[in-house]
């Protein structure tokens, strides 16, 4: 199996309080139909998470394909999953951009992008048949009831082997919660690459997590996790498990590909996500009005 170039980017929303000029710049960079989607969010937290996710995708495609930032276009498949619309430029005809796959996830303060691409000289439909999925979870439980009750409700979502690991005698309650979130992250990353969402029989998707080390930030990522579906080994899938700070775990699922290296997520700043347009001074006043309205949205903490 050939090795591919993997990008792992993260953005911490806790480090960014958007000004009106910054938000206007960001919103102007995304497509009009995406602005419509974003405005449907009730809370500013969700609005900003999704906006940053779109900027991460735009930057990734632009960097990987040498497409001008403001010319990158996305569409959605029948399941609503975003994909890059390849352009028909003269440059692309002379040297077609490499195949690539990317996925975005966000929860709490963190927004992640994982992307994978081949070297530019890789050709053929088989070489292009690869994909990536990612997920991030905050390791916390706020359900109000005892965590044992929550686990009982989720019993049908995990295999017996997975529950055996989650409930190991040496695991106290925080360790059980962390083990639960690790497995949920892996399942989400897997089904997100498939594009089916959590609609499959999750009990038949059974992970054996890497136990060579504890999942801590210092040794992240762990790369020894394996998968069985309907008791069949899925040898064409590979996984990374990350810990981002103490409260966030993340997983990356690689289908038919192996990353060249197993690196940590790189934290980006807002100014690294934006490329200023030559027409920045000519922004449509409707974009400014849109951003003023978005900034009036409540924070989740206001509930």
């Amino acid at each position: 199996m050939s090795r591919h170039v993997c990008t792992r980017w993260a953005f911490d929303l806790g480090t960014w309080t958007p000004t009106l000029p910054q938000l206007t710049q960001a919103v102007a960079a995304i497509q009009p139909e995406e602005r419509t989607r974003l405005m449907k969010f009730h809370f500013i937290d969700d609005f900003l998470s999704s906006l940053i996710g779109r900027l991460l995708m735009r930057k990734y495609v632009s960097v990987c394909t040498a497409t001008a930032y403001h010319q990158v276009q996305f569409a959605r498949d029948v399941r609503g999953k975003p994909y890059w619309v390849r352009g028909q430029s003269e440059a692309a005809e002379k040297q077609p951009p490499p195949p690539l796959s990317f996925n975005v996830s966000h929860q709490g303060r963190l927004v992640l992008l994982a992307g994978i691409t081949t070297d530019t000289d890789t050709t053929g439909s088989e070489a292009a048949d690869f994909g990536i999925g990612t997920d991030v979870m905050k390791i916390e439980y706020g359900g109000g009831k005892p965590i044992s009750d929550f686990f009982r409700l989720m019993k049908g979502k995990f295999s017996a082997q997975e529950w055996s690991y989650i409930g190991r005698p040496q695991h106290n309650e925080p360790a059980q919660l962390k083990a639960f979130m690790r497995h949920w992250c892996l399942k989400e990353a897997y089904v997100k690459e498939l594009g089916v969402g959590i609609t499959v029989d999750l009990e038949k998707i059974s992970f054996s997590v890497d136990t060579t080390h504890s999942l801590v930030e210092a040794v992240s990522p762990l790369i020894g996790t394996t998968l069985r579906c309907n008791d069949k080994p899925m040898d064409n899938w590979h996984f990374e498990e990350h810990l981002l700070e103490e409260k966030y775990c993340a997983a990356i699922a690689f289908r038919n590909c192996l990353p060249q290296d197993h690196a940590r997520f790189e934290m980006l700043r807002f100014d690294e996500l934006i490329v200023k347009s030559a027409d920045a001074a000519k922004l449509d006043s409707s974009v400014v009005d849109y951003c003023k309205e978005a900034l009036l949205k409540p924070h989740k903490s206001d509930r």
Side-chain angles (χ1 to χ4, degrees), residues 94-216:
K94 290 180 180 178
Q95 183 171 350
L100 55 80
S101 176
F102 57 87
N103 194 227
V104 169
S105 179
H106 56 83
Q107 190 178 57
R109 294 182 3 244
L110 296 185
V111 187
L112 307 186
L113 174 139
I116 195 98
T117 186
T118 62
D119 295 330
T120 53
D121 59 355
T122 303
T123 57
S125 58
E126 186 174 337
D129 183 21
F130 62 87
I132 196 169
T134 192
D135 192 62
V136 60
M137 293 293 297
K138 190 173 184 181
I139 306 171
E140 67 175 9
Y141 172 66
K145 297 180 179 180
I147 197 168
S148 56
D149 290 350
F150 172 64
F151 284 171
R152 274 193 292 273
L153 287 173
M154 300 296 289
K155 189 175 188 303
K157 306 297 184 183
F158 295 86
S159 69
Q161 176 183 309
E162 291 172 326
W163 279 120
S164 177
Y165 178 81
I166 293 168
R168 292 167 87 183
Q170 61 267 46
H171 282 170
N172 58 18
E173 190 171 290
Q176 288 182 0
L177 181 62
K178 183 177 180 180
F180 177 93
M181 292 302 182
R182 285 177 67 180
H183 282 83
W184 191 257
C185 245
L186 287 161
K187 288 175 187 274
E188 283 271 16
Y190 170 72
V191 298
K192 283 178 71 180
E193 200 299 304
L194 294 177
V196 296
I198 300 293
T199 58
V200 295
D201 187 351
L202 295 180
E203 193 174 4
K204 304 297 185 183
I205 302 169
S206 184
F207 285 93
S208 298
V209 297
D210 189 334
T211 56
T212 56
H213 297 88
S214 297
L215 182 61
V216 295

Side-chain angles (χ1 to χ4, degrees), residues 221-246:
L222 299 181
I223 61 172
T225 294
T226 58
L227 169 66
R228 298 178 75 90
C229 288
N230 295 308
D231 208 31
K232 176 185 176 183
M234 305 298 286
D235 296 330
N236 62 321
W237 287 82
H238 300 274
F239 300 90
E240 287 181 355
E241 290 191 82
H242 295 255
L243 191 71
L244 296 90
E245 308 173 1
E246 281 303 308

